[in-house]
Amino acid sequence: TALEHFRAAAEAEETNGEAWMAVFQSAFAEGEYEDAAEALAIAADLGAFPRGYRFDPRPIYPDESTFEKALELLDKHLKKHDDDADAHLIRTYFHVAEGEREDAHAGILRVLELQPDDQTAPLLSIALLPPLPPEKIEEPVAGEAPAKELEKPTAAPEVPAER
């Protein structure tokens, strides 16, 4: 399978973040969410995933419907397994990639609620434009629902009228 091929390539060159991103995408497409989350974490640690801009993952797949179907399966999985931190991390990555700030923020908080020591979710906040302030990604208190309020972007400064 493509996942086996990309995993072999990534393991042969362990510091190749792009290879780990290929493992991530392949594992996601095959519904192997634990493998996908692990590969995403490795790629993130290597600084390989896109940061600071929107990234449309659809062109990576043979056709757009392949990605859409895989995303639909992930969403169905999350409805049945809301406690799956790996699946939430993957979904959050795609919220970030598509510029869906509120969903991305809620996903980051959910991953940290399920897995407080996760190192990848906070990195995803850096990829948001503009980045979430550090105080907005603090760990949720056990038993409390995470806050879902996002900072509103500040308005552009006023330009003085010409004299």
Side-chain angles (χ1 to χ4, degrees), residues 3-16:
L3 176 56
E4 292 167 344
H5 170 76
F6 288 125
R7 181 170 292 285
E11 289 173 351
E13 195 177 339
E14 292 179 351
T15 59
N16 183 338

Side-chain angles (χ1 to χ4, degrees), residues 108-143:
I108 289 165
L109 293 176
R110 182 67 177 139
V111 170
L112 291 174
E113 178 183 12
L114 294 169
Q115 201 166 296
D117 61 341
D118 185 88
Q119 299 297 305
T120 307
L123 291 176
L124 289 175
S125 73
I126 296 168
L128 292 174
L129 278 177
L132 294 173
E135 64 272 11
K136 292 293 182 182
I137 59 169
E138 63 190 38
E139 291 183 27
V141 176

Side-chain angles (χ1 to χ4, degrees), residues 4-68:
E4 292 167 344
H5 170 76
F6 288 125
R7 181 170 292 285
E11 289 173 351
E13 195 177 339
E14 292 179 351
T15 59
N16 183 338
E18 295 300 323
W20 286 108
M21 284 304 295
V23 172
F24 162 69
Q25 295 288 352
S26 297
F28 159 69
E30 291 185 22
E32 298 292 336
Y33 304 133
E34 186 176 346
D35 288 346
E38 176 188 22
L40 181 61
I42 293 169
D45 191 46
L46 294 170
F49 64 72
R51 295 181 184 186
Y53 58 91
R54 288 181 59 176
F55 170 73
D56 183 4
R58 287 164 185 81
I60 294 171
Y61 295 85
D63 60 65
E64 188 171 310
S65 67
T66 304
F67 174 78
E68 298 299 335

